[in-house]
Amino acid sequence: MLGTLDIAAANQGPADRPQTRFAALRSLITSPQLSFLMEAHNGLSAKIAQEAGFAGIWGSGLTLSASMGLRDSNEASWTQVLETLELMADATSLPILLDGDTGYGNFNNVRRLVKKLCDRKVAGVCIEDKLFPKTNSFIGEAQPMAEIDEFCGRIKAGKDSQTDDDFVLVARVEALICGHDMGEALRRAAAYHAAGADAILIHSKQSSAAEILKFAQVWENRAPLVIVPTKYYATPTEQFRQARISTVIWANHLLRGAISAMREVARTLKREESLVEIEHRIAPVDDIFRLVGNDELEEAESRYIPRKSLARGIILAASQGALGALTVAKPKCMVDVRGQPLLQRLVSTLAASGVRNITVVRGYGKETVKLVGVQTVDNDRHAETGELYSLNCAAAAIEGPTVIAYGDILFRKYILDNLLECGADIALAVDVSPLKGEARRDLVIADRPYTGDILDDSPVLLKQAGTDINPGEAHGEWMGLAAFSARGAGWLRDEIARARAEGVLESCDLPRLFTRLAARHPVQILYFTGHWMDVDTLVDLAAARTFSGA
Ligand code: SPV
Ligand code: MG
């Protein structure tokens, strides 16, 4: 097994192959430059280490357990540690060197640990020559150490179990921590190196780096040296470079920084009972979203969730209608069509196209307009106001992609799907079938007529809609169904505000609104040939009872 300083070159793969995390850790540890590993203890702190520019992570036993509220005495099970490590590996692309304590038992536990670490793309493990359950190196004196031969067995077992050639096993010498002399530390380091350790971590709890630097001098770079200067923190890093230390571990500082910050925030809030003091001193909520990659999720949603599913719906159902006795006690939207109110059918069709957040504007007979799963707003002046006034009653629902429908229409699902998927900011469904009976109300003039050419997919734009159009000039009839993108919904809100300012909010109908919108923005028309109906008369109602919306 490779284990010396010339490994880095040996592990360079072909230029076009991305470096694995295993290879990345190996080259950090073996490179002649001084490397740094930053402690992390969960997915978020791992991200913060990466964001700061560190090239590798130390999965600290102390901080992993402390962040679970546990002591650094193997109170956390090794599978709990492994699960946290998996989250850290998922959260970053950095190589992680796990502080594997004593290996959680004997050689057999080390074997299984190393296999599992390789499975989860954890690039290396450091095991220390003490006994399970371990005690943190900075607690107490003269902690018992493992026998050298037995610990060498753990090292060999670990190296024999790695499933990636670049996996790094660091052997940690605790002799100086446990009160033994330099000779013992060097003897152990040499034995561990001979047993296959890729690097030696020489640990010290002195406040000066003297014993570490002495060790490095005598060691003479026989294998990479890793250090943890928590206690001798004042030593200039340059001294580590000169001593040809391979890797410095900042072992617990993200957790300690977090403890100070959390404590400060908690105390201030307890004292002030207000957020004012705190808000500008802490990370904004958007920072959390950014760190956990919400932008990627949004991008994925746009790829995997059909656009239509994001739209809200507004149904204008305030008018009484004129279906004789059927519309005395209730408005026409509640007239029964094959066992269901007309409005319920419409709501189901919208829902089938993913429009689920629906607001119904009620007016005539409002107490009879009750449907499960829709919100209602009321136009109590429905008798003397027009459609725009009703729409304005639902102004709060015009937010993000929005579908607007008359409450007395039925249409095949594909029509709404086409509106939602066409990519227009405002899209109107227009029927080009020959006009039946009397002139229809919502006629439309576009910039070009329907051609029937299925290869012609350039957009058709609205020029004018309304009652004042000569049927002979009309290119079709608006079906009472329109879809707005988030931007289109913004234009719609602006236009409603403009109509209010001009004093026409109460009188304006939707076709006139579309004409106004078309004067400022592209209002796209999608032509259809039938497959919809509105229920204005009893004849229409009879037809509605046989209409299929599928
Ligand atoms: C850890 O970070 O858990 C370590 C380093 O083992 S130390 O706490 O210094 O022992
Ligand atoms: Mg530890």
Side-chain angles (χ1 to χ4, degrees):
M1 200 55 69
L2 296 168
T4 52
L5 288 176
D6 57 1
I7 287 168
N11 279 284
Q12 295 302 318
D16 55 350
R17 208 179 60 203
Q19 196 184 36
T20 66
R21 298 194 215 214
F22 299 98
L25 181 63
R26 180 165 286 280
S27 55
L28 276 182
I29 299 274
T30 56
S31 87
Q33 282 87 39
L34 181 63
S35 305
F36 298 88
L37 296 182
M38 182 72 240
E39 168 267 325
H41 46 275
N42 56 23
L44 186 67
S45 54
K47 279 178 184 291
I48 287 172
Q50 177 155 19
E51 184 186 54
F54 281 96
I57 286 175
W58 169 245
S60 155
L62 171 65
T63 68
L64 280 161
S65 38
S67 62
M68 296 179 203
L70 298 175
R71 288 165 286 217
D72 188 14
S73 305
N74 293 125
E75 289 185 340
S77 72
W78 74 270
T79 52
Q80 285 174 322
V81 170
L82 195 65
E83 276 171 19
T84 309
L85 271 237
E86 186 176 26
L87 290 170
M88 290 162 59
D90 288 349
T92 68
S93 56
L94 294 184
I96 301 173
L97 176 65
L98 169 66
D99 170 6
D101 294 339
T102 57
Y104 310 116
N106 68 3
F107 80 92
N108 193 33
N109 303 90
V110 174
R111 290 198 303 184
R112 190 157 157 73
L113 173 66
V114 167
K115 278 208 186 77
K116 289 291 152 193
L117 293 176
C118 289
D119 287 352
R120 305 207 184 183
K121 306 277 184 288
V122 177
V125 69
C126 174
I127 54 173
E128 64 197 58
D129 50 0
K130 293 194 307 208
L131 304 174
F132 180 90
K134 56 75 57 88
T135 303
N136 184 273
S137 304
F138 302 143
I139 295 175
E141 301 296 330
Q143 293 184 22
M145 294 192 72
E147 296 294 330
I148 294 182
D149 286 351
E150 187 273 326
F151 191 68
C152 286
R154 283 187 240 169
I155 293 169
K156 284 184 192 139
K159 289 304 290 176
D160 287 346
S161 306
Q162 68 188 49
T163 54
D164 190 296
D165 285 348
D166 287 323
F167 183 84
V168 171
L169 190 147
V170 178
R172 168 165 159 178
V173 177
E174 288 279 285
L176 303 177
I177 294 281
C178 299
H180 299 280
D181 61 15
M182 189 62 68
E184 176 70 5
L186 285 162
R187 208 168 20 258
R188 283 176 173 266
Y192 304 160
H193 178 41
D198 298 300
I200 299 296
L201 189 158
I202 179 68
H203 204 12
S204 164
K205 58 182 176 182
Q206 288 187 358
S207 58
S208 117
E211 63 180 5
I212 291 297
L213 296 175
K214 177 77 191 155
F215 181 97
Q217 188 188 8
V218 183
W219 181 249
E220 286 187 314
N221 216 18
R222 274 174 271 165
L225 272 191
V226 180
I227 61 169
V228 184
T230 304
K231 292 288 177 185
Y232 46 98
Y233 60 86
T235 312
T237 300
E238 197 44 39
Q239 290 193 20
F240 302 143
R241 280 202 178 87
Q242 279 165 13
R244 294 204 287 163
I245 300 294
S246 146
T247 305
V248 166
I249 295 177
W250 308 128
N252 43 48
H253 302 82
L254 288 189
L255 182 70
R256 286 165 62 193
I259 289 172
S260 301
M262 288 193 284
R263 197 172 266 149
E264 161 77 359
V265 169
R267 285 181 180 157
T268 307
L269 286 177
K270 179 74 183 71
R271 187 179 66 238
E272 302 291 326
E273 297 186 342
S274 155
L275 295 169
V276 172
E277 279 266 307
I278 284 297
E279 182 58 29
H280 62 284
R281 287 161 44 195
I282 57 179
V285 174
D286 280 352
D287 200 9
I288 305 177
F289 296 152
R290 188 188 56 75
L291 277 165
V292 298
N294 275 63
D295 49 351
E296 189 280 335
L297 178 58
E298 258 174 49
E299 191 271 325
E301 280 173 351
S302 71
R303 261 182 294 133
Y304 297 122
I305 299 179
R307 290 156 53 97
K308 60 196 177 191
S309 67
L310 300 173
R312 292 163 171 243
I314 299 174
I315 299 176
L316 302 181
S319 71
Q320 176 182 7
L323 301 180
L326 291 177
T327 48
V328 173
K330 56 189 176 194
K332 72 173 165 184
C333 68
M334 293 308 286
V335 165
D336 182 273
V337 176
R338 276 195 284 160
Q340 272 189 350
L342 176 54
L343 185 59
Q344 180 68 67
R345 290 198 169 275
L346 175 57
V347 165
S348 304
T349 309
L350 292 185
S353 292
V355 180
R356 301 220 165 81
N357 185 347
I358 295 174
T359 303
V360 173
V361 183
R362 305 183 302 186
Y364 183 82
K366 66 180 183 186
E367 55 297 332
T368 65
V369 181
K370 285 190 205 123
L371 290 186
V372 182
V374 301
Q375 299 152 58
T376 56
V377 293
D378 297 332
N379 176 5
D380 290 326
R381 298 180 55 214
H382 62 92
E384 78 252 21
T385 57
E387 292 160 3
L388 188 55
Y389 191 84
S390 281
L391 179 59
N392 185 53
C393 294
I398 306 173
E399 180 65 56
T402 306
V403 169
I404 296 178
Y406 283 156
D408 62 350
I409 58 170
L410 293 174
F411 52 86
R412 291 256 178 98
K413 174 180 177 304
Y414 82 91
I415 293 179
L416 179 53
D417 290 342
N418 283 8
L419 290 193
L420 289 167
E421 287 163 15
C422 73
D425 288 313
I426 305 178
L428 307 182
V430 168
D431 185 16
V432 296
S433 311
L435 300 175
K436 296 160 285 170
E438 307 110 56
R440 309 298 290 242
R441 201 180 56 134
D442 298 335
L443 297 181
V444 158
I445 296 177
D447 63 352
R448 58 208 176 86
Y450 173 67
T451 61
D453 177 358
I454 57 162
L455 296 179
D456 179 7
D457 55 5
S458 52
V460 179
L461 297 179
L462 177 74
K463 291 174 74 174
Q464 192 190 339
T467 44
D468 45 350
I469 291 174
N470 175 351
E473 290 173 33
H475 292 131
E477 178 185 9
W478 179 51
M479 299 180 192
L481 184 64
F484 296 76
S485 69
R487 184 158 69 150
W491 295 341
L492 177 59
R493 285 195 303 272
D494 293 346
E495 200 54 48
I496 293 175
R498 235 174 259 122
R500 182 191 295 106
E502 291 169 23
V504 296
L505 184 67
E506 297 185 2
S507 57
C508 193
D509 58 16
L510 289 195
R512 182 166 301 281
L513 173 76
F514 293 138
T515 305
R516 292 171 60 109
L517 279 165
R520 293 173 190 277
H521 310 287
V523 174
Q524 195 170 323
I525 279 173
L526 265 59
Y527 285 131
F528 299 92
T529 53
H531 297 155
W532 76 288
M533 60 175 310
D534 54 2
V535 180
D536 285 333
T537 64
L538 287 170
V539 175
D540 291 341
L541 181 62
R545 287 175 171 159
T546 59
F547 185 85
S548 156

